[in-house]
Amino acid sequence: MFQGKTAVVTGSTSGIGLGIARALAARGAQIVLNGFGEAAEIERERGAIAKDFGVKATYSAADMTKPDEIAGMITTAETTFGSVDILVNNAGIQHVAAIEDFPVDKWDQIIAINLTSAFHAIRTAVPGMKRRGWGRIINTASAHSLVASPFKAAYVAAKHGLAGLTKTVALELATSGITVNCISPGYVLTPLVAKQIPDQMKTRHMSEEQVKRDVILAAQPTKQFISIEQVGSLACYLCTDAAAQITGANLSIDGGWTAQ
Ligand code: NAD
């Protein structure tokens, strides 16, 4: 399906990004992985993508807080593979604190990784996409790009910003054969979310099931987590010709969360 296309997926050493990278590779795309982690584990994931799907896969260690490294990741991918056709801006972190206690360095880091990195990757990848007359830009936003929750000021601000960036760039590129969209998941059981469960169990004297149902999934009407594979499938759909007229959209995949 995506043979001959190259996809850069930021924050793809774990969770949703890795799931999107594997889903795109399963449909034939060459992959540039990015993100932090143990070198051996990253090499294992990179090798597994190449072996499982018979595609080329490389890894970029670019830090999404560093504009030069982000631009370098895109230009290196273009040199290595000849093009960047699919760009998935997915890297993201979270920090939870009351506004008056919100650490200034955490605010800056979240805005840099969750919002500004997408600007740098997009501005660097767009000239090549325009030359070829085809491109897919997908930004992993969140239900928090549409609604807020207390104590997540930086995350909610960054994700709302990412939704605005998506719409703006979609309009600018509307006649270029390039679509630009957000995917906005509710809760997906990635390492990021799983790590919070033991603390919640201890603090609230709840079982694992109670924490999942009554705390984490409280806002999610289906009372089920979204799976990484479901997010991966949606990303792949956006890369097909069938989705060529979907641009500037913010696609919820949130078990009904933002319908409330
Ligand atoms: P995760 O922690 O499993 O993955 C985050 C990825 O970002 C990792 O690969 C990590 O190494 C990378 N990363 C972090 N800082 C980086 C930096 N400075 N430079 C490069 N890479 C960096 O989390 P996840 O749950 O898979 O989240 C992925 C995206 O999905 C995030 O943007 C997150 O906001 C969004 N999201 C997650 C959920 C959820 O419930 N898990 C819901 C909605 C949106």
Side-chain angles (χ1 to χ4, degrees):
M1 196 182 256
F2 305 138
Q3 277 77 12
K5 303 269 194 256
T6 299
V8 174
V9 186
T10 73
S12 51
T13 52
S14 158
I16 293 171
L18 181 57
I20 292 175
R22 286 186 61 85
L24 290 167
R27 291 155 180 82
Q30 307 176 112
I31 301 295
V32 178
L33 289 176
N34 160 259
F36 296 155
E38 295 266 326
E41 177 58 19
I42 293 170
E43 178 51 24
R44 201 187 62 72
E45 293 294 358
R46 190 205 62 74
I49 288 174
K51 182 166 167 289
D52 294 349
F53 308 117
V55 298
K56 287 188 189 145
T58 62
Y59 165 68
S60 163
D63 180 340
M64 292 300 109
T65 64
K66 305 221 162 79
D68 292 351
E69 293 188 19
I70 299 164
M73 172 186 67
I74 300 294
T75 52
T76 302
E78 287 175 333
T79 312
T80 307
F81 292 111
S83 61
V84 171
D85 308 287
I86 299 166
L87 170 64
V88 184
N89 293 300
N90 169 82
I93 59 165
Q94 175 62 285
H95 187 83
V96 179
I99 189 68
E100 66 271 34
D101 302 324
F102 212 96
V104 172
D105 62 334
K106 277 288 167 203
W107 170 277
D108 289 342
Q109 199 188 7
I110 289 174
I111 298 297
I113 296 170
N114 297 20
L115 173 59
T116 310
S117 74
F119 160 69
H120 292 298
I122 291 170
R123 71 178 174 78
T124 314
V126 158
M129 289 180 176
K130 272 187 167 172
R131 271 197 305 277
R132 289 181 297 278
W134 197 93
R136 292 290 186 268
I137 299 171
I138 299 169
N139 299 317
T140 309
S142 164
H144 281 122
S145 74
L146 294 161
V147 295
S149 295
F151 312 123
K152 297 184 175 177
Y155 187 88
V156 171
K159 295 296 186 182
H160 275 65
L162 191 57
L165 175 68
T166 302
K167 290 193 224 177
T168 307
V169 182
L171 293 179
E172 289 184 31
L173 301 179
T175 58
S176 310
I178 305 165
T179 69
V180 191
N181 293 290
C182 295
I183 290 179
S184 284
Y187 279 107
V188 185
L189 196 51
T190 64
L192 184 101
V193 173
K195 266 185 268 170
Q196 302 170 23
I197 295 173
D199 283 347
Q200 297 275 15
M201 286 166 66
K202 216 181 291 170
T203 320
R204 295 169 188 263
H205 306 289
M206 284 178 165
S207 70
E208 183 176 337
E209 278 318 304
Q210 283 173 316
V211 169
K212 283 183 179 168
R213 190 190 58 233
D214 300 335
V215 181
I216 297 180
L217 295 178
Q220 217 151 277
T222 58
K223 302 297 171 204
Q224 290 180 39
F225 286 99
I226 289 94
S227 75
I228 288 172
E229 290 73 20
Q230 287 163 344
V231 181
S233 292
L234 181 54
C236 287
Y237 175 66
L238 287 173
C239 296
T240 64
D241 291 340
Q245 290 300 320
I246 301 178
T247 196
N250 188 345
L251 297 161
S252 292
I253 175 165
D254 65 4
W257 177 345
T258 54
Q260 298 174 99

